[in-house]
Amino acid sequence: NAGVTQTPKFQVLKTGQSMTLQCAQDMNHNSMYWYRQDPGMGLRLIYYSASEGTTDKGEVPNGYNVSRLNKREFSLRLESAAPSQTSVYFCASRSEPGSRNQPQHFGDGTRLSIL
Amino acid sequence: KNQVEQSPQSLIILEGKNCTLQCNYTVSPFSNLRWYKQDTGRGPVSLTIMTFSENTKSNGRYTATLDADTKQSSLHITASQLSDSASYICVVTRDNTNAGKSTFGDGTTLTVKP
């Protein structure tokens, strides 16, 4: 059981380039999330999708777009990468938003450097 | 402002020793508090989850406590092992029906030395 799979694992971009980070989960979860983690800081929510067909902004959405392609897949797009977007990006999923005892399941991250 | 503060920022202990990590929060309203373990280069993995009515929960050598009155939680690790070296993250959720309402602490980095 793979859980949450993120691709690519590493990526280097030049300022102004665009790219899409991919995330897929095989646990039939309804909710999916994108976070960024910067050194010495807590994870910050970029966007989330409470269910297939819906997306909402999180704490730091500027410079990003998302697509909930289907129940399994949730992608994050950087249209014009900036050095401030250098970070480790984590995708997570959870079975039901209202399920009190269900934690988020995280992928292993995409390490993105923008020069 | 909803905040989660963890202490210490980093901690070094010898293998076999016990340690306690702290989490103070100002998040309101309160739905639940989780502790995650994040190994280097990996995503966070849930250790424990506590709701308002729970004040202690154990997962093997990990024991979490919650004092909802003082808004404090602790994670106690007993008989530490080298594999306990990781970052431990405290997460407080305001509204469990809304996927976006969780606040993450900055984490405590634990190093266990032989």
Side-chain angles (χ1 to χ4, degrees), chain B residues 34-96:
Chain B
R34 301 184 179 96
W35 283 93
Y36 284 88
K37 178 187 180 189
Q38 184 177 19
D39 292 320
T40 300
R42 305 295 300 273
V45 175
S46 178
L47 291 174
T48 65
I49 302 171
M50 289 185 291
T51 59
F52 187 86
S53 59
E54 298 171 307
N55 54 25
T56 301
K57 184 166 283 190
S58 292
N59 178 0
R61 294 180 296 102
Y62 300 101
T63 299
T65 65
L66 173 65
D67 185 335
D69 292 332
T70 61
K71 298 187 176 182
Q72 295 180 326
S73 176
S74 65
L75 181 69
H76 185 75
I77 304 174
T78 303
S80 61
Q81 300 176 359
L82 298 179
S83 60
D84 292 330
S85 294
S87 177
Y88 293 84
I89 302 170
C90 175
V91 184
V92 181
T93 298
R94 301 197 299 282
D95 178 358
N96 209 48

Side-chain angles (χ1 to χ4, degrees), chain A residues 31 33 35 37 40-43 45 48 50 90 94 96-109 111, chain B residues 9 31-32 34 36 38 40-46 49 51-52 54 57 89 96-100 102 104-106:
Chain A
S31 301
Y33 312 76
Y35 293 90
Q37 186 176 40
M41 296 182 66
L43 279 81
L45 183 65
Y48 65 97
F90 287 98
R94 190 162 68 137
E96 291 285 350
S99 178
R100 295 180 74 85
N101 293 322
Q102 296 305 311
Q104 292 178 327
H105 295 259
F106 287 84
D108 284 336
R111 284 143 188 83
Chain B
Q9 186 175 22
S31 177
N32 60 59
R34 301 184 179 96
Y36 284 88
Q38 184 177 19
T40 300
R42 305 295 300 273
V45 175
S46 178
I49 302 171
T51 59
F52 187 86
E54 298 171 307
K57 184 166 283 190
I89 302 170
N96 209 48
T97 63
N98 186 317
S102 292
F104 287 71
D106 291 347

